[in-house]
Amino acid sequence: MAKAIEALLSAGIDGPYGLALGTDAYTRVLETSEHGGYPLLEHLREILGGPLVWAPGVDGAVVVSLRGGDFLFTSGEDISIGYDRHDADAVHLYLEESLAFRVVTPEAAVPLVP
């Protein structure tokens, strides 16, 4: 993680940073304490200056910038409900929402592979 933060700083991307951890990595971090019993989770939070989150879709982990403007999420419309079909027992509806996620600064995320 220290190398990932060094890479971010070298690219001119200041903190705070967040850490998204895959399932195995998240479990290991929660179960590990440093010499003297200090939880690894708390030490990593201090280094990052931001949160650690469980992200089951991530393989390993990724350090990301939280400074703002590096990643954009756009919701195209409010959520809407529509009619699909019906039968004698039920009416089937659907929910629809459009969204876009855009990476503006690819250097603002550094993967940590297991």
Side-chain angles (χ1 to χ4, degrees):
M1 192 180 76
K3 288 183 180 182
I5 291 175
E6 182 181 336
L8 289 164
L9 289 170
S10 295
I13 300 168
D14 294 326
Y17 308 107
L19 181 62
L21 297 158
T23 301
D24 291 339
Y26 188 77
T27 301
R28 282 194 304 269
V29 166
L30 288 180
E31 293 175 345
T32 303
S33 62
E34 297 179 323
H35 186 68
Y38 192 70
L40 178 60
L41 177 70
E42 294 305 319
H43 187 116
L44 294 176
R45 281 186 180 144
E46 288 176 18
I47 294 170
L48 292 165
L52 282 83
V53 297
W54 174 56
V58 172
D59 184 25
V62 61
V63 177
V64 296
S65 167
L66 299 178
R67 68 180 180 174
D70 296 311
F71 310 99
L72 300 177
F73 174 83
T74 305
S75 178
E77 66 178 69
D78 290 334
I79 195 164
S80 60
I81 189 168
Y83 170 82
D84 185 36
R85 67 186 186 285
H86 71 275
D87 56 33
D89 297 319
V91 175
H92 299 266
L93 305 173
Y94 63 90
L95 297 174
E96 185 175 272
E97 182 179 20
S98 65
L99 59 96
F101 178 79
R102 187 166 54 118
V103 178
V104 179
T105 313
E107 302 84 18
V110 178
L112 305 174
V113 291

